[in-house]
Amino acid sequence: MLNDKTIAFLVAPEGIEQVELTEPWQAVKQAGGTPKLVSTKAGEVQAFNHLDKADRFPVDATVDEVSVADFDGLVLPGGVANPDLLRTVPGAVRFAKEFFDAGKPVAAICHAPWTLIEADVVRGRKLTSWPSLRTDLRNAGADWADREVVICTSGPNTLVTSRKPDDLKAFCQAAMDAFAG
């Protein structure tokens, strides 16, 4: 399904909700794709289980070392601190925005749409998120819905969004379908 496709996972150095990284990562691998961990700094990133430190994961490349041309899609895991930090790093915001500019699919879960708000790519798009982002997304011009998964094709690319870890099964399936084309 994803043979010869490489999917970027963009994360901050810490604050990633671990299951929102590991489950989509496994889904990409099981579908025959190659996941790559991209961050704002080299080394390792620190994942969390809500507020508790969890595992560390090695970074494959930094946002300054890669190009959107190297990837077929993008996953933005959540966690509160992760997208909050990403949206303050111009290179990370640029990298996320370039997937929209290139018409490549993007999948974002939980708090991850904060990075997309900063990239100014949610205007006119339908999406979901963790409920606390509802007002932020609406203020940025998005049509927010409280659903397990929202697949929006009314823009330059396919955008898949989900609310929380409980939505991961539906999120992973929709994301793999989007990445498969």
Side-chain angles (χ1 to χ4, degrees), residues 40-139:
T40 57
K41 293 183 181 169
E44 290 184 329
V45 297
Q46 176 68 61
F48 281 73
N49 291 323
H50 301 291
L51 300 176
D52 298 320
K53 281 188 178 180
D55 297 324
R56 297 183 67 79
F57 297 91
V59 172
D60 293 308
T62 67
V63 290
D64 298 327
E65 298 169 334
V66 293
S67 162
V68 170
D70 301 331
F71 301 99
D72 300 289
L74 172 66
V75 174
L76 293 167
V80 178
N82 172 45
D84 192 47
L85 192 151
L86 284 178
R87 66 184 176 162
T88 69
V89 179
V93 173
R94 172 197 47 76
F95 185 66
K97 183 181 185 323
E98 286 175 352
F99 280 86
F100 289 78
D101 295 343
K104 294 183 178 185
V106 173
I109 188 167
C110 201
H111 290 79
W114 266 340
T115 305
L116 301 179
I117 291 169
E118 192 65 31
D120 194 25
V121 294
V122 300
R123 189 172 318 283
R125 303 299 298 266
K126 187 173 189 82
L127 62 157
T128 192
S129 67
W130 185 255
S132 66
L133 275 67
R134 175 182 58 235
T135 300
D136 296 341
L137 284 160
R138 286 182 174 154
N139 287 343

